[in-house]
Amino acid sequence: MATISGASVKNIVVACEAGMGSSVMVAKQLAKQLKAQEVSVTHSPVNQLTETEHDLVLCHRGLGSRAKQAVPNSVVIMFDMFLGDLKIAEIVSRIKSGDDISDD
């Protein structure tokens, strides 16, 4: 289990299968919500995660094991829905409040 303080998150990568489409939507949504916190949000194919600068990785549950295998020491948060997922809303809240985020 990896943990990071929400206040320490400055780079988020949204991982998906091909690095386009749905991950772009989530990345844009997060960037807008976290603009005041000056958090950079990008997207990447899951097989290129090792090449990204990130403090936190978000991905669909179906890619979770691949993401965790690619970056085993990183906090990898899995969500179920690309829009309106409560897990993503919780992450935004924890970053804004500075609370810890873990991939338990």
Side-chain angles (χ1 to χ4, degrees):
M1 178 175 76
T3 302
I4 188 170
S5 164
S8 298
V9 175
K10 296 300 173 198
N11 295 295
I12 297 174
V13 173
V14 181
C16 79
E17 191 70 39
M20 60 175 92
S22 51
S23 65
V24 175
M25 289 188 314
V26 174
K28 286 183 179 184
Q29 172 190 356
L30 284 169
K32 189 181 296 183
Q33 293 174 340
L34 297 170
K35 185 175 183 177
Q37 287 70 33
E38 299 181 0
V39 174
S40 169
V41 184
T42 58
H43 60 92
S44 171
V46 72
N47 62 352
Q48 294 178 9
L49 281 176
T50 57
E51 302 166 21
T52 66
E53 181 178 336
H54 62 269
D55 302 310
L56 180 66
V57 174
L58 295 176
C59 66
H60 189 270
R61 185 165 308 284
L63 296 174
S65 61
R66 287 177 56 198
K68 195 62 181 169
Q69 183 177 16
V71 288
N73 297 320
S74 297
V75 178
V76 176
I77 302 297
M78 294 173 259
F79 58 86
D80 294 308
M81 298 183 303
F82 286 97
L83 295 175
D85 193 284
L86 294 178
K87 193 66 173 178
I88 294 173
E90 178 186 350
I91 295 306
V92 169
S93 176
R94 288 181 177 272
I95 290 170
K96 289 181 176 181
S97 67
D99 291 339
D100 284 348
I101 301 167
S102 67
D103 59 6
D104 56 1

